[in-house]
């Protein structure tokens, strides 16, 4: 799920009439200077990276003049914070804080709700999990009917439960109600304003925000300019960008691909990993890792993808140089018609394995049309020079065996590899 | 050489009709009927789309090609758009 940076999120808040501190985004110290000069007040210079705990990590600095803001930007731009490079800073007025509050709208995944959940607390600044543990009496929430929406009256009622004072109730309700507006307008998974700041002159601002957009709605919002809507905590590799291109061009089913190990050499025992079904895929990946198998990537094709999409994902996996094996961990009884996977695998593996003698390949596939799929795979992969093993539903609950087999095949393959050296 | 061609969402199907002249089982049509949306039929001894817009119903199951290659006369091929993957592989020395 794509996380928006603070300055991107604040643009959306401003569009929905939520007050945010005056400021602007800068990608050079000179730009930071100009913004600070325009603001003519003490400013906060904030590194724009998608991590929490920026202040403690030295990613937020205060400046009393434009020159100081420029120096702060010089220090921050190009610096790495929690592994992410700072490419932009947000320069905005420093607020005179009297109090900090919290509000968010998230998706309540509970089967009873399956809709937006609005949360509010009179304690802001730290994470809602800590607030809920330390001050449970200071947190209120309500499920919102997605069809009826949220009224300003409902918002006021919710805030009143925590005894929000009358002069503060109106502006605060507008902010919290506005957050729901952002959530709905941009099909977000979560919109959080933390802290909402009450200033010395009794004004209310969303001082920081965290917005996560639903991956499936990115297509509807080109104005957000999200070119890689996966949350992998780093810049995507070229292959990951290609994987997203495959996903973007064809909505049918899911084709996920992320690289886990980069820059490995031949014979290091790193395998291309392909899973089916989120939980089943993770179960398989965990089993392999526990048995000492190193994974080059984590791929997942679920939700009844087309065979063409599965084919492309397998080709992506094989586009990682120096992998010493390929494993399909379909560790679930899938309801998608598995013969589409079987056809895709036959096409891709016939192309890839012809020139890879003894290359280890393990395929575990189960579920709808399983018998036919296993037959398609056995027939289609016959005669290839690789070491291909195919398993069905009897092994879905025995992924440790699959992992052990993979480890053994890799060891044999590596021995051959060393001999050839 | 007579080539019959039709596009689908992320690629195209090409059929070399000269090879179809010697085909006895039309495995592509049967495969489409079993695994896909039955958008192919045999007309004049050759596979054709059942209607002009039937290609829009293609679910890209790749079966027509695989079964033509395995059991037919290898006249049908699918060209898939790789969205830059081929160029990437060429760049890093993987063909």
């Amino acid at each position: 799920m794509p996380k928006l940076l603070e300055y991107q999120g604040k643009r959306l808040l401003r569009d929905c009439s939520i007050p945010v501190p005056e400021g602007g985004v800068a990608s050079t110290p000179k730009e930071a200077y100009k913004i600070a000069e325009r603001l003519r007040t003490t400013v906060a210079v904030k590194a724009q990276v998608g991590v929490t705990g920026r202040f403690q990590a030295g990613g937020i600095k205060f400046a009393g003049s434009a020159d100081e803001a420029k120096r702060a930007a010089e220090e921050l731009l190009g610096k790495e914070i929690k592994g992410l490079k700072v490419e932009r800073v947000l320069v905005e007025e420093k607020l005179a804080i009297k109090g900090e509050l919290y509000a968010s709208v998230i998706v309540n995944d509970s089967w009873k709700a399956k809709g937006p959940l609005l949360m509010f607390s009179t304690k802001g600044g730290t994470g809602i999990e800590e607030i809920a543990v330390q001050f449970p009496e200071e947190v209120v929430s309500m499920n919102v009917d997605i069809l009826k929406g949220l009224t300003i009256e409902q918002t006021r009622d919710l805030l009143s439960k925590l005894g929000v004072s009358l002069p503060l109730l109106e502006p605060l309700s507008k902010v919290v109600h506005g957050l729901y507006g952002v959530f709905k307008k941009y099909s977000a998974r979560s919109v959080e304003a933390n802290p909402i700041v009450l200033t010395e002159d009794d004004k209310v601002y969303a001082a920081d925000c965290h917005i996560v957009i639903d991956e499936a709605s990115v297509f509807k919002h080109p104005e957000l300019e999200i070119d890689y809507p996966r949350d992998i905590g780093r810049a995507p590799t070229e292959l990951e960008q290609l994987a997203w291109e495959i996903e973007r061009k064809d909505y049918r089913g899911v084709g996920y691909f992320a690289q886990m190990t980069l820059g490995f050499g031949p014979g290091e025992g790193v395998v291309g990993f392909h899973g089916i079904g989120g939980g089943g895929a993770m179960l398989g990946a965990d089993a392999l890792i526990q048995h000492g198998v190193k994974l080059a990537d984590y791929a997942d094709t679920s939700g009844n993808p087309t065979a063409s999409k599965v084919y492309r994902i397998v080709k992506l996996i094989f586009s990682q140089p120096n992998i010493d094996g390929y494993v399909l961990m379909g560790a679930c009884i899938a309801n998608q018609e598995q013969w589409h996977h079987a056809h895709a695998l036959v096409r891709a593996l016939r192309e890839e394995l012809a020139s890879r003698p003894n290359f280890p390949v393990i395929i575990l596939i189960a579920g709808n049309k399983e018998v036919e799929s296993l037959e398609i795979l056995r027939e289609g992969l016959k005669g290839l020079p690789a070491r291909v093993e195919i398993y069905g539903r009897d092994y879905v609950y025995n992924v440790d065996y699959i992992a052990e087999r993979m480890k053994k095949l890799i060891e044999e393959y590596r021995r051959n590899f060393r001999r050839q050296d | 050489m007579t080539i019959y061609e039709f596009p689908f969402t992320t690629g195209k199907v090409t059929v070399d009709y000269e090879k179809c002249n010697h085909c006895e089982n039309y495995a592509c049509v049967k495969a489409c009927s079993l695994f896909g949306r039955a958008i192919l039929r045999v007309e004049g001894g050759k596979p054709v789309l059942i209607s002009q817009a039937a290609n829009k119903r293609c679910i890209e199951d790749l079966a027509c090609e695989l079964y033509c290659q395995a059991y037919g006369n290898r006249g049908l091929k699918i060209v898939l758009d790789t969205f830059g993957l081929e160029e990437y592989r060429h760049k890093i020395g993987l063909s």
Side-chain angles (χ1 to χ4, degrees):
Chain A
M1 299 289 170
K3 275 183 200 164
L4 299 187
L5 295 173
E6 183 187 359
Y7 79 93
Q8 295 168 317
K10 280 183 171 166
R11 271 184 203 158
L12 307 192
L13 298 190
R14 202 178 290 120
D15 285 350
C16 288
S17 307
I18 297 172
V20 294
E22 275 294 310
V25 67
S27 51
T28 64
K30 197 177 166 187
E31 285 172 5
Y33 177 91
K34 280 185 181 169
I35 296 164
E37 192 183 37
R38 174 170 58 83
L39 293 173
R40 291 175 179 277
T41 181
T42 302
V43 294
V45 183
K46 304 164 94 176
Q48 294 303 285
V49 281
V51 296
T52 51
R54 280 178 301 171
F55 186 73
Q56 292 84 348
I60 298 176
K61 296 183 183 300
F62 298 105
S65 67
D67 281 322
E68 281 181 29
K70 187 183 168 196
R71 277 197 293 278
E74 278 166 354
E75 282 176 41
L76 290 173
L77 289 166
K79 184 180 173 180
E80 274 203 6
I81 294 178
K82 296 187 175 179
L84 293 175
K85 193 177 170 192
V86 180
E87 289 175 349
R88 292 180 183 86
V89 290
L90 177 63
V91 182
E92 60 180 23
E93 60 176 318
K94 184 174 181 282
L95 300 171
I97 300 172
K98 190 158 86 177
E100 292 186 325
L101 309 113
Y102 171 97
S104 69
V105 188
I106 62 166
V107 174
N108 185 348
D109 282 329
S110 159
W111 65 273
K112 290 179 190 167
K114 290 279 179 198
L117 176 75
L118 177 64
M119 286 191 284
F120 174 74
S121 174
T122 47
K123 302 278 179 194
T126 53
I128 188 64
E129 293 85 358
E130 292 92 70
I131 297 169
V133 169
Q134 287 178 35
F135 310 101
E137 69 287 352
E138 297 290 343
V139 180
V140 286
S141 65
M142 68 174 282
N143 286 307
V144 180
D145 185 324
I146 190 74
L147 296 175
K148 290 180 184 165
L150 176 74
T151 64
I152 191 79
E153 291 77 16
Q154 285 172 314
T155 315
R156 262 189 232 120
D157 287 349
L158 182 75
L159 270 52
S160 302
K161 286 181 187 171
L162 291 186
V164 172
S165 65
L166 212 55
L168 192 56
L169 191 60
E170 197 55 34
L172 198 52
S173 297
K174 277 185 184 164
V175 168
V176 177
H177 187 254
L179 291 180
Y180 180 76
V182 173
F183 177 86
K184 197 159 178 209
K185 184 175 177 184
Y186 294 99
S187 320
R189 288 293 297 187
S190 68
V191 175
E192 183 184 87
N194 187 21
I196 294 172
V197 159
L198 172 64
T199 61
E200 299 285 359
D201 53 356
D202 289 329
K203 285 183 179 159
V204 175
Y205 292 92
D208 196 358
C209 67
H210 305 274
I211 298 178
V212 180
I213 302 295
D214 192 317
E215 197 175 287
S217 74
V218 166
F219 310 104
K220 292 191 281 180
H221 298 289
E223 75 277 17
L224 297 178
E225 295 176 348
I226 297 168
D227 53 3
Y228 186 75
R230 308 279 204 208
D231 182 19
I232 54 172
R234 57 170 168 76
T237 64
E238 214 171 329
L239 265 182
E240 286 162 348
Q241 275 171 328
L242 285 170
W244 173 247
E245 202 56 17
I246 291 167
E247 192 77 327
R248 195 174 70 82
K249 293 274 172 66
D250 188 354
Y251 305 159
R252 295 169 291 183
V254 172
Y256 181 86
F257 173 88
Q259 287 181 277
M260 293 171 73
T261 313
L262 296 169
F264 55 90
E268 288 186 23
V270 184
V271 302
F273 175 82
H274 184 174
I276 296 177
M282 280 191 268
L283 183 76
D286 283 347
L288 288 161
I289 291 166
Q290 276 170 13
H291 285 264
V293 178
K294 287 176 269 183
L295 308 187
D297 65 278
Y298 179 88
D300 181 3
T301 48
S302 313
N304 208 16
T306 59
S308 59
K309 186 179 257 189
V310 178
Y311 165 84
R312 291 183 180 103
I313 295 296
V314 179
K315 293 290 280 187
L316 273 175
I317 294 169
F318 275 89
S319 300
Q320 301 170 102
N322 305 322
I323 54 170
D324 285 336
Y326 164 85
V327 57
L328 174 72
M329 276 285 202
C332 59
I333 305 290
N335 62 12
Q336 61 188 10
E337 289 177 326
Q338 297 289 43
W339 54 27
H340 298 315
H341 268 72
H343 288 142
L345 285 164
V346 169
R347 192 184 205 252
L349 294 180
R350 289 202 75 81
E351 289 173 6
E352 293 294 337
L353 299 179
S355 58
R356 297 179 196 243
N358 301 314
F359 188 84
V361 170
I362 288 188
I363 297 169
L364 167 62
I365 193 162
N368 191 4
K369 304 286 190 273
E370 177 184 332
V371 175
E372 296 88 339
S373 304
L374 294 174
E375 194 183 328
I376 290 165
L377 287 164
R378 287 188 186 116
E379 276 296 310
L381 301 178
K382 211 186 265 178
L384 288 171
R387 291 281 304 274
V388 182
E389 294 187 6
I390 301 166
Y391 298 93
R393 65 177 60 209
D394 293 344
Y395 292 85
V396 161
Y397 301 111
N398 197 0
V399 285
D400 285 325
Y401 174 81
I402 303 287
E404 253 325 296
R405 281 302 300 157
M406 193 69 220
K407 196 178 169 191
K408 202 163 182 329
L409 289 182
I410 294 166
E411 279 164 7
E412 285 173 22
Y413 182 65
R414 288 169 74 189
R415 270 201 296 276
N416 286 339
F417 195 88
R418 279 195 287 271
R419 253 183 248 132
Q420 282 165 16
D421 268 7
Chain B
M1 193 160 76
T2 314
I3 299 291
Y4 178 69
E5 225 175 70
F6 64 85
F8 51 82
T9 309
T10 69
K12 66 175 179 181
V13 169
T14 68
V15 190
D16 179 350
Y17 271 169
E18 279 177 32
K19 289 187 176 169
C20 298
N21 285 334
H22 309 287
C23 185
E24 290 174 356
N25 60 17
Y26 302 104
C28 58
V29 178
K30 288 175 190 166
C32 184
S33 169
L34 179 60
F35 302 109
R37 290 290 175 267
I39 59 170
L40 295 176
R41 66 182 162 89
V42 181
E43 188 181 280
K46 296 174 182 69
V48 291
L49 282 170
I50 55 168
S51 67
Q52 219 173 3
N55 57 333
K56 291 186 168 46
R57 303 212 307 264
C58 177
I59 57 163
E60 304 186 19
D61 53 83
L62 311 179
C64 55
E65 181 192 63
L66 288 168
Y67 288 80
C68 173
Q69 297 295 317
Y71 306 109
N73 210 31
R74 302 184 173 191
L76 187 147
K77 285 198 175 129
I78 288 174
V79 182
L80 287 176
D81 190 337
T82 56
F83 306 124
L85 183 59
E86 271 312 308
E87 292 80 353
Y88 174 80
R89 287 171 69 106
H90 187 71
K91 192 174 80 180
I92 63 165
L94 282 172
S95 56

